[in-house]
Amino acid sequence: MSTDAPATTDTHCPYCALQCGMGLAPRADGGGLEVVERAAFPVNRGALCAKGRTATEVLAADARLTEPLVRRERSGELAPATWDEALDRVAAGLAGARRRHGPDAVGVFGGGGLTNEKAYALGKFTRLVLGSSQIDYNGRFCMSSAAAAGTRAFGLDRGLPFPLEDIPRTGCVLLVGSNLAETMPPALRYLTELRENGGTLIVVDPRRTRTAEQADLHLAPRPGTDLALALGLLHLVVAGGRVDEAFVAERTAGWEQARAAAMAHWPELVERITGVPVPQLRAAARMFCEPEAAMVLTARGPEQQSKGTDTVGAWINLCLATGRAGRPLSGYGCLTGQGNGQGGREHGQKADQLPGYRMLANEADRAHVARVWGVDPATLPAPGRSAYELLDALGRDTPDGVRALLLMASNPVVSAPHAAHVEERMRALDFLAVCDVVLSESARLADVVLPVTQWAEETGTLTNLEGRVLLRRKAAEPPPGCRSDLEVLRALAARLGWEKGFPAEPEEVFEELRRASAGGRADYSGISYRRIEREDGVFWPCPEREPERGAAHAPHPGTPRLFLDRFATEDGRARFAPVTHRPAAEEPTPEYPVLLTTGRVLAQYQSGAQTRRVGALNAAAPGPFVQLHPRLAERIGAAEGDRLAVTSRRGRAVAPARVSGDIRPDTIFMPFHWPGEGRANTLTNPALDPTSRMPEFKVCAVRVELADPAEPAEPADRDGSEGRAA
């Protein structure tokens, strides 16, 4: 009898962009898999948050979909079906809309949790099989403003241009709009180590979060004023003679215009706009400039605004003016949110991009990808709509309306801004097909729901927030009724006339992705599954090197640290952004006198479609709430636990009060993980950034009052939908 321990599969967490290393081992009692520590993986060094530790619970059959569902005409209800019937229905629904209204009447909406292989195949399927330009993904709601600002400044967008291990070794971190302690708990150790090493931490957040409690200095600006704050700090840098003139002259362009814009934002003006006292502004500028090296890290706070690109650009300006970019242990970085938010936008499911960060509007880029795909470049569609614009076009009886939608790995009924309107548009579709692992609120509206495999049941690559390409390995067989997204796309492509070009084997897809990305900004051509396994991931760009005659072949080492020699612009210089402050799309009025900001809590993730099915996570965070300051609570006569009605110009949400001095008196906070009456995104503003097309999730004007006690409360997990009429 063997005494060997059960084999452990080294893999990665299915949630955020840290992509923490973990092991999966068979449980001793034979009841599925358990999560075990993977201490050697450098990103998290064995640490996991509660979501990662409980990730295998969503693999259970009673927590997920295990057979296809189709909406029956007579009852109007979703009912079990065979795979052939379900796939035939999807192919007919997509083909019918295309035949009646043209290829752009068919839309595709993807997700930042899809592997690189799936994101690549989904973009290829949309543009070749459907011939449609109408594809985007929920990552547009996550870090698109930082991507746009980074590309404008540096010529390249990668979440972090350095590995996480550099953070504790710098002198100061200025963390803007991020609550790492709750959104990426294992990453908090890097900030703790920073302070243990003598470095300082400045946190910018309108709330005193668990992360802000760790800071040497906490700045609490009014929501929507981060741009003015960054400009004010740059003003103080200039006025204090702290500009790195040599760096600016040698490695940047556009300084004079950016300098003039910053000088119009003097400290007293910035205090009036932001509410941050002048002494704190001066302290922040001093702390950031005193050490030899420093970093600015942004997250959704400054990015999810109708001026998010300019806001991030202003923080990048601060780095450039002080020489805190393109040097060791210094730089600007974006803390990418979703598990594959980075890779998901690099390889083709974003409306304007082709694989390898190539652009649809660029003829050379189109030609390269068309050669890999074996098609005429002229057959590739033009860039399509951004995410919210695509959702807004659903079901419209207009020449440019989208009449059928394939939705994969996303739940916009909960996660999109102006969510009641998005739900209305989804109900108006002629046909909706959803691929998901659970019956989400969006899936409940579908004509066909296809049950797909999950993270532990399939192999594929993801790219974490450092630009580290990782291999998530299969550790278990899926239930018999589930198929992978790649199998679904292959079957649909075959039904729509494409017998070849859509393999279901992930490594085969990755090999094609390598060729498509070769020479692009996100070049993966020198990366392979075998190499990822040997090296704990490979940082892109990593081009494939041709062997030199007579010499041993040395593969490209990958690029953990970008921009040390030159920036990725044509002339190698970084670009300042000449930005000035402007108000949010909505400012408070007598009718809507309070500002709402939204975000996440520790125990839930994104729209909650998976985490709300885990008992321990629901016990820790059972439902939505409204965090408000005691002064605001007193003004409206509210006490802890009272049901509050929050109303914006778009709708109304109801949730219990959580009274706390850790938030500004003019601001309330709501987490966005729940549907039903507490759905925070019922309230949020879809005003879009003109460059990134990011909606303004982080600030809108609302009215807060006690809810009518006679009004019945809805359950926290109510989806607010009963499907669609047949």
Side-chain angles (χ1 to χ4, degrees), residues 559-578:
T559 316
R561 295 169 182 86
L562 296 170
F563 313 137
L564 295 182
D565 299 317
R566 70 190 308 274
F567 294 99
T569 56
E570 287 187 10
D571 61 6
R573 290 173 173 264
R575 301 289 191 270
F576 280 95

PDB file of all heavy atoms in Angstrom, residues 559-578:
ATOM      1  N   THR A 559      11.364  41.043 -19.171  1.00  0.00           N
ATOM      2  CA  THR A 559      11.632  42.429 -18.770  1.00  0.00           C
ATOM      3  C   THR A 559      10.934  42.760 -17.462  1.00  0.00           C
ATOM      4  O   THR A 559       9.851  43.362 -17.458  1.00  0.00           O
ATOM      5  CB  THR A 559      11.181  43.406 -19.875  1.00  0.00           C
ATOM      6  OG1 THR A 559      11.595  42.916 -21.156  1.00  0.00           O
ATOM      7  CG2 THR A 559      11.773  44.789 -19.637  1.00  0.00           C
ATOM      8  N   PRO A 560      11.515  42.385 -16.326  1.00  0.00           N
ATOM      9  CA  PRO A 560      10.880  42.727 -15.046  1.00  0.00           C
ATOM     10  C   PRO A 560      10.764  44.233 -14.825  1.00  0.00           C
ATOM     11  O   PRO A 560       9.805  44.694 -14.215  1.00  0.00           O
ATOM     12  CB  PRO A 560      11.803  42.088 -14.007  1.00  0.00           C
ATOM     13  CG  PRO A 560      12.575  41.047 -14.746  1.00  0.00           C
ATOM     14  CD  PRO A 560      12.725  41.565 -16.136  1.00  0.00           C
ATOM     15  N   ARG A 561      11.759  44.983 -15.317  1.00  0.00           N
ATOM     16  CA  ARG A 561      11.782  46.437 -15.072  1.00  0.00           C
ATOM     17  C   ARG A 561      11.842  47.176 -16.400  1.00  0.00           C
ATOM     18  O   ARG A 561      12.804  47.027 -17.163  1.00  0.00           O
ATOM     19  CB  ARG A 561      12.975  46.800 -14.171  1.00  0.00           C
ATOM     20  CG  ARG A 561      12.838  46.207 -12.776  1.00  0.00           C
ATOM     21  CD  ARG A 561      14.106  46.319 -11.957  1.00  0.00           C
ATOM     22  NE  ARG A 561      13.901  45.693 -10.644  1.00  0.00           N
ATOM     23  CZ  ARG A 561      14.077  44.393 -10.417  1.00  0.00           C
ATOM     24  NH1 ARG A 561      14.490  43.578 -11.401  1.00  0.00           N
ATOM     25  NH2 ARG A 561      13.853  43.891  -9.213  1.00  0.00           N
ATOM     26  N   LEU A 562      10.830  47.980 -16.637  1.00  0.00           N
ATOM     27  CA  LEU A 562      10.725  48.738 -17.880  1.00  0.00           C
ATOM     28  C   LEU A 562      11.372  50.111 -17.741  1.00  0.00           C
ATOM     29  O   LEU A 562      11.518  50.635 -16.630  1.00  0.00           O
ATOM     30  CB  LEU A 562       9.255  48.924 -18.251  1.00  0.00           C
ATOM     31  CG  LEU A 562       8.440  47.673 -18.575  1.00  0.00           C
ATOM     32  CD1 LEU A 562       6.966  48.025 -18.678  1.00  0.00           C
ATOM     33  CD2 LEU A 562       8.923  47.025 -19.870  1.00  0.00           C
ATOM     34  N   PHE A 563      11.723  50.686 -18.879  1.00  0.00           N
ATOM     35  CA  PHE A 563      12.054  52.112 -19.028  1.00  0.00           C
ATOM     36  C   PHE A 563      13.376  52.532 -18.383  1.00  0.00           C
ATOM     37  O   PHE A 563      13.638  53.724 -18.279  1.00  0.00           O
ATOM     38  CB  PHE A 563      10.935  53.012 -18.459  1.00  0.00           C
ATOM     39  CG  PHE A 563       9.558  52.632 -18.870  1.00  0.00           C
ATOM     40  CD1 PHE A 563       8.516  52.630 -17.950  1.00  0.00           C
ATOM     41  CD2 PHE A 563       9.269  52.270 -20.177  1.00  0.00           C
ATOM     42  CE1 PHE A 563       7.222  52.297 -18.316  1.00  0.00           C
ATOM     43  CE2 PHE A 563       7.979  51.927 -20.561  1.00  0.00           C
ATOM     44  CZ  PHE A 563       6.957  51.934 -19.620  1.00  0.00           C
ATOM     45  N   LEU A 564      14.222  51.605 -17.932  1.00  0.00           N
ATOM     46  CA  LEU A 564      15.458  52.016 -17.273  1.00  0.00           C
ATOM     47  C   LEU A 564      16.422  52.692 -18.246  1.00  0.00           C
ATOM     48  O   LEU A 564      17.204  53.561 -17.855  1.00  0.00           O
ATOM     49  CB  LEU A 564      16.132  50.816 -16.612  1.00  0.00           C
ATOM     50  CG  LEU A 564      15.353  50.163 -15.464  1.00  0.00           C
ATOM     51  CD1 LEU A 564      16.140  49.011 -14.861  1.00  0.00           C
ATOM     52  CD2 LEU A 564      14.990  51.183 -14.392  1.00  0.00           C
ATOM     53  N   ASP A 565      16.374  52.307 -19.526  1.00  0.00           N
ATOM     54  CA  ASP A 565      17.256  52.909 -20.523  1.00  0.00           C
ATOM     55  C   ASP A 565      16.537  53.954 -21.373  1.00  0.00           C
ATOM     56  O   ASP A 565      17.114  54.983 -21.716  1.00  0.00           O
ATOM     57  CB  ASP A 565      17.841  51.830 -21.437  1.00  0.00           C
ATOM     58  CG  ASP A 565      18.670  50.823 -20.663  1.00  0.00           C
ATOM     59  OD1 ASP A 565      19.443  51.254 -19.784  1.00  0.00           O
ATOM     60  OD2 ASP A 565      18.533  49.615 -20.922  1.00  0.00           O
ATOM     61  N   ARG A 566      15.304  53.660 -21.716  1.00  0.00           N
ATOM     62  CA  ARG A 566      14.521  54.591 -22.529  1.00  0.00           C
ATOM     63  C   ARG A 566      13.049  54.250 -22.340  1.00  0.00           C
ATOM     64  O   ARG A 566      12.702  53.134 -21.933  1.00  0.00           O
ATOM     65  CB  ARG A 566      14.922  54.524 -24.006  1.00  0.00           C
ATOM     66  CG  ARG A 566      14.519  53.230 -24.705  1.00  0.00           C
ATOM     67  CD  ARG A 566      15.132  53.072 -26.089  1.00  0.00           C
ATOM     68  NE  ARG A 566      14.912  54.222 -26.947  1.00  0.00           N
ATOM     69  CZ  ARG A 566      13.828  54.420 -27.699  1.00  0.00           C
ATOM     70  NH1 ARG A 566      12.825  53.551 -27.641  1.00  0.00           N
ATOM     71  NH2 ARG A 566      13.734  55.465 -28.480  1.00  0.00           N
ATOM     72  N   PHE A 567      12.196  55.219 -22.623  1.00  0.00           N
ATOM     73  CA  PHE A 567      10.766  54.959 -22.603  1.00  0.00           C
ATOM     74  C   PHE A 567      10.344  54.391 -23.962  1.00  0.00           C
ATOM     75  O   PHE A 567      11.113  54.438 -24.929  1.00  0.00           O
ATOM     76  CB  PHE A 567      10.008  56.232 -22.250  1.00  0.00           C
ATOM     77  CG  PHE A 567      10.294  56.698 -20.845  1.00  0.00           C
ATOM     78  CD1 PHE A 567      11.224  57.704 -20.606  1.00  0.00           C
ATOM     79  CD2 PHE A 567       9.682  56.096 -19.760  1.00  0.00           C
ATOM     80  CE1 PHE A 567      11.528  58.123 -19.320  1.00  0.00           C
ATOM     81  CE2 PHE A 567       9.977  56.492 -18.464  1.00  0.00           C
ATOM     82  CZ  PHE A 567      10.904  57.511 -18.244  1.00  0.00           C
ATOM     83  N   ALA A 568       9.143  53.858 -24.036  1.00  0.00           N
ATOM     84  CA  ALA A 568       8.719  53.128 -25.232  1.00  0.00           C
ATOM     85  C   ALA A 568       8.093  54.029 -26.290  1.00  0.00           C
ATOM     86  O   ALA A 568       7.330  53.573 -27.134  1.00  0.00           O
ATOM     87  CB  ALA A 568       7.736  52.024 -24.838  1.00  0.00           C
ATOM     88  N   THR A 569       8.436  55.296 -26.258  1.00  0.00           N
ATOM     89  CA  THR A 569       7.995  56.243 -27.282  1.00  0.00           C
ATOM     90  C   THR A 569       8.983  56.231 -28.448  1.00  0.00           C
ATOM     91  O   THR A 569      10.076  55.669 -28.342  1.00  0.00           O
ATOM     92  CB  THR A 569       7.911  57.649 -26.690  1.00  0.00           C
ATOM     93  OG1 THR A 569       9.203  57.982 -26.139  1.00  0.00           O
ATOM     94  CG2 THR A 569       6.877  57.722 -25.578  1.00  0.00           C
ATOM     95  N   GLU A 570       8.614  56.879 -29.543  1.00  0.00           N
ATOM     96  CA  GLU A 570       9.479  56.866 -30.727  1.00  0.00           C
ATOM     97  C   GLU A 570      10.855  57.450 -30.433  1.00  0.00           C
ATOM     98  O   GLU A 570      11.869  56.952 -30.916  1.00  0.00           O
ATOM     99  CB  GLU A 570       8.808  57.623 -31.877  1.00  0.00           C
ATOM    100  CG  GLU A 570       7.646  56.867 -32.499  1.00  0.00           C
ATOM    101  CD  GLU A 570       7.125  57.560 -33.743  1.00  0.00           C
ATOM    102  OE1 GLU A 570       7.784  58.509 -34.212  1.00  0.00           O
ATOM    103  OE2 GLU A 570       6.062  57.150 -34.242  1.00  0.00           O
ATOM    104  N   ASP A 571      10.914  58.539 -29.664  1.00  0.00           N
ATOM    105  CA  ASP A 571      12.197  59.171 -29.373  1.00  0.00           C
ATOM    106  C   ASP A 571      12.783  58.759 -28.025  1.00  0.00           C
ATOM    107  O   ASP A 571      13.824  59.273 -27.602  1.00  0.00           O
ATOM    108  CB  ASP A 571      12.084  60.697 -29.447  1.00  0.00           C
ATOM    109  CG  ASP A 571      11.085  61.268 -28.444  1.00  0.00           C
ATOM    110  OD1 ASP A 571      10.558  60.497 -27.612  1.00  0.00           O
ATOM    111  OD2 ASP A 571      10.820  62.484 -28.504  1.00  0.00           O
ATOM    112  N   GLY A 572      12.108  57.840 -27.326  1.00  0.00           N
ATOM    113  CA  GLY A 572      12.617  57.358 -26.047  1.00  0.00           C
ATOM    114  C   GLY A 572      12.347  58.264 -24.869  1.00  0.00           C
ATOM    115  O   GLY A 572      12.745  57.964 -23.743  1.00  0.00           O
ATOM    116  N   ARG A 573      11.644  59.384 -25.104  1.00  0.00           N
ATOM    117  CA  ARG A 573      11.349  60.335 -24.034  1.00  0.00           C
ATOM    118  C   ARG A 573       9.923  60.138 -23.526  1.00  0.00           C
ATOM    119  O   ARG A 573       9.004  59.881 -24.306  1.00  0.00           O
ATOM    120  CB  ARG A 573      11.497  61.775 -24.532  1.00  0.00           C
ATOM    121  CG  ARG A 573      12.925  62.208 -24.811  1.00  0.00           C
ATOM    122  CD  ARG A 573      12.957  63.583 -25.452  1.00  0.00           C
ATOM    123  NE  ARG A 573      14.323  64.086 -25.579  1.00  0.00           N
ATOM    124  CZ  ARG A 573      14.903  64.908 -24.711  1.00  0.00           C
ATOM    125  NH1 ARG A 573      14.224  65.348 -23.661  1.00  0.00           N
ATOM    126  NH2 ARG A 573      16.156  65.307 -24.892  1.00  0.00           N
ATOM    127  N   ALA A 574       9.752  60.292 -22.220  1.00  0.00           N
ATOM    128  CA  ALA A 574       8.409  60.282 -21.641  1.00  0.00           C
ATOM    129  C   ALA A 574       7.726  61.615 -21.921  1.00  0.00           C
ATOM    130  O   ALA A 574       8.385  62.652 -22.099  1.00  0.00           O
ATOM    131  CB  ALA A 574       8.485  60.038 -20.146  1.00  0.00           C
ATOM    132  N   ARG A 575       6.411  61.610 -21.960  1.00  0.00           N
ATOM    133  CA  ARG A 575       5.623  62.790 -22.281  1.00  0.00           C
ATOM    134  C   ARG A 575       4.877  63.289 -21.053  1.00  0.00           C
ATOM    135  O   ARG A 575       4.107  62.541 -20.431  1.00  0.00           O
ATOM    136  CB  ARG A 575       4.599  62.478 -23.374  1.00  0.00           C
ATOM    137  CG  ARG A 575       5.195  61.972 -24.687  1.00  0.00           C
ATOM    138  CD  ARG A 575       5.925  63.088 -25.426  1.00  0.00           C
ATOM    139  NE  ARG A 575       6.284  62.698 -26.784  1.00  0.00           N
ATOM    140  CZ  ARG A 575       7.439  62.115 -27.128  1.00  0.00           C
ATOM    141  NH1 ARG A 575       8.332  61.812 -26.195  1.00  0.00           N
ATOM    142  NH2 ARG A 575       7.693  61.821 -28.384  1.00  0.00           N
ATOM    143  N   PHE A 576       5.082  64.556 -20.692  1.00  0.00           N
ATOM    144  CA  PHE A 576       4.232  65.191 -19.695  1.00  0.00           C
ATOM    145  C   PHE A 576       2.847  65.422 -20.290  1.00  0.00           C
ATOM    146  O   PHE A 576       2.693  65.631 -21.503  1.00  0.00           O
ATOM    147  CB  PHE A 576       4.820  66.544 -19.271  1.00  0.00           C
ATOM    148  CG  PHE A 576       5.923  66.448 -18.265  1.00  0.00           C
ATOM    149  CD1 PHE A 576       7.252  66.438 -18.672  1.00  0.00           C
ATOM    150  CD2 PHE A 576       5.640  66.374 -16.908  1.00  0.00           C
ATOM    151  CE1 PHE A 576       8.281  66.369 -17.741  1.00  0.00           C
ATOM    152  CE2 PHE A 576       6.658  66.298 -15.971  1.00  0.00           C
ATOM    153  CZ  PHE A 576       7.983  66.294 -16.386  1.00  0.00           C
ATOM    154  N   ALA A 577       1.840  65.431 -19.435  1.00  0.00           N
ATOM    155  CA  ALA A 577       0.465  65.724 -19.848  1.00  0.00           C
ATOM    156  C   ALA A 577       0.077  67.102 -19.322  1.00  0.00           C
ATOM    157  O   ALA A 577       0.060  67.310 -18.103  1.00  0.00           O
ATOM    158  CB  ALA A 577      -0.491  64.668 -19.300  1.00  0.00           C
ATOM    159  N   PRO A 578      -0.223  68.071 -20.202  1.00  0.00           N
ATOM    160  CA  PRO A 578      -0.592  69.421 -19.748  1.00  0.00           C
ATOM    161  C   PRO A 578      -2.047  69.464 -19.295  1.00  0.00           C
ATOM    162  O   PRO A 578      -2.933  69.943 -20.013  1.00  0.00           O
ATOM    163  CB  PRO A 578      -0.358  70.278 -20.991  1.00  0.00           C
ATOM    164  CG  PRO A 578      -0.614  69.344 -22.137  1.00  0.00           C
ATOM    165  CD  PRO A 578      -0.180  67.974 -21.673  1.00  0.00           C
TER     166      PRO A 578
END
